[in-house]
Amino acid sequence: MACRAFGRRNYFLLSIAIFTIGSGLCGMATSLGQLIFFRAMQGLAGGGLQPSSQAILLDSFPPEKQGAAQTLFGVAALLAPVVGPILGGYITDEYSWRWVFYINLPVGALALFLCWLMVQDPEYLREHRKELKKQPLNFDFIGLGLLVLTIVCWEVVLSKGQEWDWLSDAFGRVQVLLALFFIAGASLVFCERRHASPIVNFRPLRDRNFAISSLIIFLAFAVLYGTSTLLPAVLESLFGYDAFHAGLVLSPSGVSAILAMIVVGALLGRALDARWLIAAGLLILAAGNFWMSQLNLDISPWQAVWPRVVIIAGLGMIFAPLNVAAYLYIPRTLRGAAVGLFALLRNEGGSFGTSMGQTIIERREIFHALRLNENLDRLNPAVRSYLGQVQHGFLQQTGDPAASHQMALQSLEDLREQQASALAYFDAFLIFTVVAVILAFLVLLMKRSVAEKGAHLAAE
């Protein structure tokens, strides 16, 4: 509604400007608090860019060309996983993390100029904006306040939950935030269902396909962000990679996503039921995570590349069919609300996956360290042999028997921590495998979903 009243073109230009300014301010931040605030500014501006950009494409192309236009849009969006990790790692290693933000300034300025030059609101939207200006302001301030409170509580709990020990928090911070989250969330649903122009319209969730698709996109993005944050951590903490070489391992997967999206778009155009593509993509996603869970610390870089390629290929197969299945039975009057709700759940799924992945790692690492301790005693011949060999080597270096003994024990402890951490990471990938398999079975509850000719087929 705000976009219609303000003008889609004006909203788009303002969002690009705020996002670009936020990038510059992030680069100049002098404290963690400032960095978080400016990143929040970026998120506020960037959150609506993807839905509004797709709406601009839908208005700019006739129905028979919308699939091709949206596919090109998806290909451009998926180039980021190819270029981003390598470029970001190189900039961080060779210059400074601040330049990761500064590099957005010329790009944002160019985007702002090109959009100002070429993007125009369609005639129907200009007429609608004139009608809205004649009406009294009916903005949903209560809904906006409840939405902000709900999201803030949710994000703080996800980011701080593990640090505060979740529901065992001695100071009650997590418990209070969760109570506020549920109260604000319930109030949001209650108020929005009764408002004429709600800030968040929950009516699309009445459709079975949209509800299941929303759950799938939420958890699929949780798996995506979970694996995307854990794999670089594995490579840097356990394998000793720097940011640039970790980016090299991650980048080839973007190519598989682009290829998968193009193939899926062609299959959907041939009237293939989207449900089977969603299920196939989820099973491929599960296979990639299972492959990742079976690795060890003696692998080469390419052995980490291929499971990641499989994971992202599976995700590339999911997004376009989910668009078809989610919106196929939604009335045109509710499609704008459905797109916004879908985008919100997708973004929050990423936050959920990042937080849950970190929680799994920390808890499973403690578990595996305790289990490994059960066999690390002096009566174990393997332990005695290891300590004897290592202590002898340290003794030759230092000439101090007491110091070499302590160094040998420290070496054993470091090895235990390394193995416990590795097992925890592989456990996380195994849990993501189970999540993806369960989601594949949910597809059976969806209605038949065959794309109409000229429909929006592209991934987001």
Side-chain angles (χ1 to χ4, degrees), residues 25-27 29-42 97 101:
L25 293 175
C26 284
T30 57
S31 67
L32 179 61
Q34 290 182 8
L35 182 61
I36 292 173
F37 177 78
F38 297 139
R39 285 289 290 162
M41 180 191 297
Q42 280 188 298
W97 64 267
F101 296 103

Side-chain angles (χ1 to χ4, degrees), residues 81 85 223-224 227-229 231-232 249-254 256 288 291-292 303-313 315:
V223 172
L224 169 63
T227 57
S228 297
T229 54
L231 184 55
V249 173
L250 296 177
S251 293
S253 60
S256 68
W291 188 355
M292 192 75 73
Q303 288 175 293
V305 167
W306 292 116
R308 172 74 176 176
V309 168
V310 173
I311 289 172
I312 301 302
L315 285 163

Side-chain angles (χ1 to χ4, degrees), residues 18-346:
I18 294 175
F19 185 87
T20 305
I21 293 171
S23 294
L25 293 175
C26 284
M28 296 189 300
T30 57
S31 67
L32 179 61
Q34 290 182 8
L35 182 61
I36 292 173
F37 177 78
F38 297 139
R39 285 289 290 162
M41 180 191 297
Q42 280 188 298
L44 182 65
L49 285 177
Q50 184 270 327
S52 59
S53 59
Q54 286 193 307
I56 290 172
L57 288 177
L58 291 172
D59 284 333
S60 302
F61 290 88
E64 63 273 11
K65 295 184 178 181
Q66 287 175 6
Q70 295 284 353
T71 299
L72 287 175
F73 174 83
V75 169
L78 285 173
L79 285 175
V82 180
V83 179
I86 299 177
L87 182 61
Y90 177 80
I91 291 173
T92 302
D93 287 341
E94 298 297 327
Y95 299 97
S96 166
W97 64 267
R98 297 181 184 276
W99 283 98
V100 174
F101 296 103
Y102 289 148
I103 197 174
N104 290 327
L105 295 177
V107 177
L110 178 62
L112 186 64
F113 172 73
L114 292 177
C115 290
W116 175 81
L117 190 66
M118 304 182 68
V119 175
Q120 298 294 333
D121 285 337
E123 183 62 30
Y124 82 90
L125 198 57
R126 291 196 292 267
E127 293 295 328
H128 186 68
R129 188 163 69 251
K130 292 178 182 178
E131 294 296 326
L132 285 176
K133 288 181 178 178
K134 298 177 183 178
Q135 301 175 8
L137 182 64
N138 189 29
F139 188 75
D140 185 14
F141 290 103
I142 295 177
L144 178 61
L146 290 172
L147 176 64
V148 169
L149 181 59
T150 303
I151 297 299
V152 166
C153 292
W154 168 260
E155 293 289 351
V156 173
V157 168
L158 288 180
S159 62
K160 289 294 195 179
Q162 177 62 21
E163 179 183 337
W164 293 343
D165 200 20
W166 296 103
L167 293 177
S168 299
D169 181 15
F171 297 97
R173 292 164 294 189
V174 173
Q175 295 88 329
V176 171
L177 286 170
L178 283 178
L180 286 174
F181 168 75
F182 285 113
I183 293 172
S187 301
L188 178 66
V189 174
F190 179 82
C191 294
E192 298 305 270
R193 293 181 63 184
R194 286 157 177 78
H195 199 281
S197 301
I199 194 78
V200 180
N201 195 334
F202 293 101
R203 293 183 183 90
L205 289 173
R206 295 174 181 173
D207 179 71
R208 181 175 56 180
N209 265 28
F210 183 79
I212 296 174
S213 297
S214 297
L215 179 61
I216 290 175
I217 198 68
F218 178 84
L219 292 176
F221 259 74
V223 172
L224 169 63
Y225 276 76
T227 57
S228 297
T229 54
L230 293 185
L231 184 55
V234 171
L235 297 174
E236 293 178 22
S237 64
L238 299 180
F239 291 87
Y241 290 21
D242 57 25
F244 174 68
H245 288 90
L248 286 176
V249 173
L250 296 177
S251 293
S253 60
V255 178
S256 68
I258 295 172
L259 295 176
M261 188 185 66
I262 294 174
V263 172
V264 166
L267 292 175
L268 287 173
R270 294 177 178 270
L272 183 65
D273 194 334
R275 295 177 299 172
W276 312 130
L277 290 172
I278 296 170
L282 289 169
L283 292 176
I284 292 174
L285 172 63
N289 276 285
F290 182 75
W291 188 355
M292 192 75 73
S293 71
Q294 302 303 303
L295 301 181
N296 56 55
L297 297 182
D298 297 323
I299 62 172
S300 67
W302 279 106
Q303 288 175 293
V305 167
W306 292 116
R308 172 74 176 176
V309 168
V310 173
I311 289 172
I312 301 302
L315 285 163
M317 291 183 62
I318 293 171
F319 298 141
L322 269 178
N323 279 341
V324 173
Y327 304 129
L328 189 60
Y329 299 100
I330 298 294
R332 288 188 179 274
T333 55
L334 291 177
R335 288 206 175 171
V339 169
L341 188 57
F342 207 63
L344 175 64
L345 291 171
R346 180 196 62 201

